[in-house]
Amino acid sequence: AQRVTQPEKLLSVFKGAPVELKCNYSYSGSPELFWYVQYSRQRLQLLLRHISRESIKGFTADLNKGETSFHLKKPFAQEEDSAMYYCALSLAAGNKLTFGGGTRVLVKP
Amino acid sequence: NAGVTQTPKFQVLKTGQSMTLQCAQDMNHEYMSWYRQDPGMGLRLIHYSVGAGITDQGEVPNGYNVSRSTTEDFPLRLLSAAPSQTSVYFCASSPTHPPDTQYFGPGTRLTVL
């Protein structure tokens, strides 16, 4: 079965510093990878998906099939980036999204 | 559009009680799902449905039942509540199957004493 691992439960960075959230997955095929975000008092929402290859709110993520990783990066963190971030995986022939354990990001002023 | 709505927002149950968490969406999405969110464990899929009349188990289905009589509604039933079911429950829907962009409800915080 597929699995998604986010090794860091908490990342604390200062405003303006780079931030990288790690995501590793276990699946030998070609999955679709996503990052979801939950801001305080808001609903969980899609941040970005690897197939789009886009930058959202300054965040980018690259799918590395060799390392089975999909790390999320932002060069200059802002206080409004403080949130809970979840990496998720979907299989083309599957029926569900599998989520990682989540990483809480705290951006300090 | 209201999107995905969930009721109630909060609920406290005693061990052994039963209840139904309601979920509705007005986006005509075929795919709907229920997750529970626990600290350090992320979101775990309880049950999902790919259309009216079709449901299937997710990762942690024990102690929960679902039905999908209409496209709009996907209620989650706790048969006999246990303290281990204390959690935040999220309903989500997706216009695609398999799901990629999921639209989440606001969540129901359930405490079982």
Side-chain angles (χ1 to χ4, degrees):
Chain A
Q2 64 270 23
R3 178 175 290 182
V4 178
T5 303
Q6 295 178 246
E8 304 120 339
K9 286 190 168 47
L10 174 65
L11 274 181
S12 182
V13 300
F14 284 102
K15 177 183 172 182
V19 62
E20 180 180 33
L21 290 74
K22 292 186 170 50
C23 172
N24 294 94
Y25 64 92
S26 60
Y27 180 66
S28 57
S30 295
E32 288 199 38
L33 276 299
F34 309 86
W35 277 99
Y36 278 78
V37 60
Q38 188 175 25
Y39 300 103
S40 179
R41 300 189 190 88
Q42 293 189 29
R43 303 184 184 204
L44 194 65
Q45 58 187 286
L46 178 69
L47 179 62
L48 56 80
R49 44 194 298 191
H50 91 271
I51 200 168
S52 304
R53 295 186 175 274
E54 56 193 346
S55 173
I56 303 292
K57 299 185 179 182
F59 284 98
T60 58
D62 290 318
L63 177 60
N64 185 325
K65 291 187 179 180
E67 295 183 358
T68 59
S69 67
F70 188 56
H71 303 330
L72 183 69
K73 302 175 186 177
K74 185 168 183 176
F76 307 103
Q78 302 299 313
E79 290 182 68
E80 55 265 29
D81 297 326
S82 295
M84 192 74 176
Y85 292 80
Y86 292 98
C87 183
L89 175 155
S90 172
L91 304 180
N95 287 325
K96 57 186 179 181
L97 275 180
T98 299
F99 284 84
T103 298
R104 181 167 297 281
V105 172
L106 176 62
V107 181
K108 297 178 286 188
Chain B
N1 284 354
V4 179
T5 58
Q6 290 182 238
T7 56
K9 285 191 171 64
F10 302 94
Q11 183 71 49
V12 179
L13 293 177
K14 294 181 180 177
T15 297
Q17 287 184 314
S18 63
M19 79 158 295
T20 299
L21 306 185
Q22 301 292 343
C23 175
Q25 53 94 7
D26 60 0
M27 298 174 283
N28 203 33
H29 289 170
E30 291 294 328
Y31 186 94
M32 296 186 74
S33 54
W34 276 102
Y35 295 88
R36 56 178 292 172
Q37 182 186 44
D38 301 292
M41 306 192 74
L43 280 83
R44 291 182 292 168
L45 182 65
I46 304 171
H47 286 284
Y48 65 94
S49 168
V50 299
I54 307 169
T55 63
D56 206 346
Q57 296 181 350
E59 186 184 351
V60 288
N62 291 344
Y64 308 94
N65 272 358
V66 292
S67 60
R68 186 94 180 271
S69 55
T70 66
T71 299
E72 294 78 21
D73 300 296
F74 191 44
L76 178 73
R77 295 185 193 85
L78 279 71
L79 309 172
S80 177
S84 61
Q85 293 178 304
T86 294
S87 187
V88 181
Y89 291 85
F90 289 99
C91 179
S93 71
S94 174
T96 60
H97 167 232
D100 47 26
T101 304
Q102 291 215 43
Y103 296 83
F104 283 82
T108 295
R109 185 174 294 275
L110 175 68
T111 302
V112 183
L113 303 175

